[in-house]
Amino acid sequence: MNDNPREGRSGTPQGSTGRARLAVLVLLGSILVPLVTAGLRSVLWVLVGLAGSALAAMGVWWALAHTGAVKALGVVLSVGAPVTVLALYATSGMLWAACLSLALWVLAVALARTALAPGPGVVEQPVAKAPQQPWILMNPRSGGGKVGRFRLVEKARAAHCRVSLLDGHQDVAALAQQAVDEGADLLAVAGGDGTQALVAEVAARNDLPFVVIPAGTRNHFALDLGLDRDDPAAALEALTDAVEIRVDLGYAANRVFVNNASFGTYASVVADPAYRNAKAHTVSQALPGLLRGVDPSRLRMRADGTYTEGLQALLVSNNAYGRAVDAARPGRRERLDSGRLGVVCVRVDSAAQAARMVRGPRAGGLVRLRAENVVVEADTATLPVGIDGEHTVLPAPVVCHSAPGVLRVRLPRHRPGTPRTSGAAADWPRVARLALGRPAPPSSPAVLDALGPPNREEKP
């Protein structure tokens, strides 16, 4: 029997059926708007829009994978194609209809995602007892000097915390374990995600609460925990007025990560010494060679019975991201306690394949899935890996796995954000079933596309 009042008999959150029906109606509206405006000619305008998107995708590929005149042509095409399509719509009087149709489609997708969202996520337990000997590791250089700018050392010591400062040469995990051996009953980090992960592993191993203070540059882990990255000092409230949750940790071989481990193209870029100080320039300079190299190091991936090969890039994350690509807010995961890894694989070999990606997730060079274990292989003895943005080299093959619920994270009771609970994708067959009042079947564990039909293997 389902005891959760927020879930219906089918196990889906209450209100999901209504949102699914509304999503279907809005989707139909996005189709009807151009039909009513232009009749059957709307089909032609849809084809024009798809052609413009395909040309823009080809332009993006040329801009990323080439240099010189071809790169310049790619930039022109990626900008000029959509502008031309908009101009054609405007001169034909279809611009308003196209914009309205697009807005309705975006709204329909958003409603579909929320309709398929899981029920309540991580359970928050109120904390009755404050720590007696909290220990905080701070990196003064992280985030452009946030530790000093927000006076974190002074504020932490005023809260009766023992503070250790990194100078760039200490063994972070050893420092944390030493603090535990000396009686620390809470571990915290003011720094980037890489440092957070190392101390989090020590906290998990000793079953101690862990506090995240977002004093790094991006702090994706803090973002998913709902913390205010613009006010790292607010996280210190977790010492006095707190709730506690249990979340997963991810491992790539023996290396822990709170966000992700990246292989292939991005890992190679992170390895460049210039990446730290000039990220955009380094990526721009490195990508053409990495994407079109004469003998690029291609990856193979096995995950819970799914196999695919010839990959340029592979991202293994601690729980799945809501979107395969979310440049605006890249750290968003719908939950942190599913006990499964998220996997995103990419292979785009040509402008034509890039253009086909506009047909949807099953037409581009993309694989997405969730798995308990992932094995990454290549025809090399070692693999460069970007672990929470930090470069390392691991012996191949690299086995990644999830450690479910091992980390006790202590959070301020009042914080500005909460992890997003929208579904990972708008699975319209499931939405239609839900709209008809039928239980929506579980989503497919993998979305597979033009990487070619992957070999399916049963687990040994």
Side-chain angles (χ1 to χ4, degrees), residues 313-330:
L314 170 64
L315 185 77
V316 180
S317 58
N318 177 26
N319 290 268
Y321 287 107
R323 295 186 179 96
V325 178
D326 191 348
R329 309 197 71 168

Side-chain angles (χ1 to χ4, degrees), residues 78-90:
S78 61
V79 176
V83 169
T84 301
V85 170
L86 290 175
L88 289 173
Y89 282 165

Side-chain angles (χ1 to χ4, degrees), residues 436-460:
L436 293 173
R438 303 173 185 173
S443 59
S444 171
V447 177
L448 307 167
D449 58 20
L451 297 179
N455 299 320
R456 292 281 186 173
E457 299 177 351
E458 296 298 326
K459 292 183 184 178

Side-chain angles (χ1 to χ4, degrees), residues 95-413:
L95 182 59
W96 71 269
C99 291
L100 178 57
S101 180
L102 178 62
L104 289 173
W105 177 79
V106 170
L107 176 59
V109 170
L111 289 168
R113 286 167 58 86
T114 57
L116 296 177
V122 182
V123 177
E124 296 183 356
Q125 299 289 347
V127 176
K129 184 179 179 181
Q132 299 302 304
Q133 298 186 56
W135 176 83
I136 301 181
L137 180 66
M138 297 190 180
N139 185 350
R141 294 176 302 282
S142 188
K146 284 185 177 180
V147 167
R149 194 160 63 250
F150 288 91
R151 301 179 58 245
L152 295 180
V153 174
E154 295 89 335
K155 292 177 180 179
R157 287 174 176 163
H160 307 290
C161 297
R162 181 176 150 211
V163 178
S164 294
L165 296 177
L166 273 178
D167 62 14
H169 302 290
Q170 302 105 315
D171 183 325
V172 170
L175 280 176
Q177 186 58 54
Q178 181 182 347
V180 174
D181 294 339
E182 294 173 354
D185 58 355
L186 178 145
L187 302 181
V189 175
D193 287 321
T195 308
Q196 299 278 359
L198 294 173
V199 178
E201 183 183 29
V202 176
R205 187 167 62 241
N206 292 276
D207 195 31
L208 291 178
F210 178 68
V211 171
V212 175
I213 302 174
T217 303
R218 291 180 177 82
N219 286 114
H220 294 168
F221 190 46
L223 176 66
D224 281 330
L225 292 171
L227 298 172
D228 186 351
R229 297 183 299 174
D230 296 323
D231 184 11
L236 291 171
E237 293 179 12
L239 301 173
T240 54
D241 186 18
V243 295
E244 189 170 292
I245 62 174
R246 280 194 172 270
V247 303
D248 309 335
L249 290 177
Y251 283 84
N254 63 341
R255 289 292 302 270
V256 67
F257 57 89
V258 292
N259 293 323
N260 56 64
S262 56
F263 301 81
T265 303
Y266 177 71
S268 299
V269 171
V270 171
D272 191 322
Y275 176 75
R276 284 292 164 201
N277 297 320
K279 291 180 173 61
H281 178 74
T282 305
V283 170
S284 176
Q285 293 296 311
L287 275 181
L290 292 170
L291 295 177
R292 296 192 308 110
V294 175
D295 186 21
S297 178
R298 293 302 176 104
L299 304 169
R300 301 185 296 274
M301 183 277 299
R302 301 173 188 271
D304 290 0
T306 298
Y307 173 78
T308 189
E309 59 186 6
L311 302 173
Q312 289 159 308
L314 170 64
L315 185 77
V316 180
S317 58
N318 177 26
N319 290 268
Y321 287 107
R323 295 186 179 96
V325 178
D326 191 348
R329 309 197 71 168
R332 303 305 278 169
R333 286 162 285 185
E334 63 186 43
R335 62 188 304 169
L336 293 169
D337 66 338
S338 71
R340 308 187 79 190
L341 301 169
V343 185
V344 180
C345 309
V346 177
R347 190 184 81 196
V348 181
D349 295 314
S350 66
Q353 192 173 40
R356 288 198 298 271
M357 293 186 74
V358 301
R359 291 162 44 196
R362 296 180 183 272
L366 182 69
V367 169
R368 296 190 66 197
L369 56 90
R370 304 180 188 201
E372 295 178 2
N373 297 281
V374 179
V375 180
V376 185
E377 304 170 314
D379 296 326
T380 54
T382 60
L383 282 171
V385 189
I387 296 182
D388 286 334
E390 302 289 338
H391 171 69
T392 189
V393 177
L394 298 176
V398 178
V399 179
C400 303
H401 73 275
S402 174
V406 297
L407 181 63
R408 297 167 54 192
V409 179
R410 194 160 289 188
L411 300 166
R413 187 184 303 273

Side-chain angles (χ1 to χ4, degrees), residues 39-111:
L40 293 178
R41 287 186 301 128
S42 61
V43 177
L44 174 62
W45 290 115
V46 169
L47 294 176
V48 168
L50 290 175
S53 300
L55 289 172
M58 290 174 61
V60 170
W61 168 258
W62 286 342
L64 292 177
H66 293 265
T67 58
V70 178
K71 183 183 186 73
L73 178 61
V75 172
V76 172
L77 188 60
S78 61
V79 176
V83 169
T84 301
V85 170
L86 290 175
L88 289 173
Y89 282 165
T91 56
S92 64
M94 283 292 296
L95 182 59
W96 71 269
C99 291
L100 178 57
S101 180
L102 178 62
L104 289 173
W105 177 79
V106 170
L107 176 59
V109 170
L111 289 168

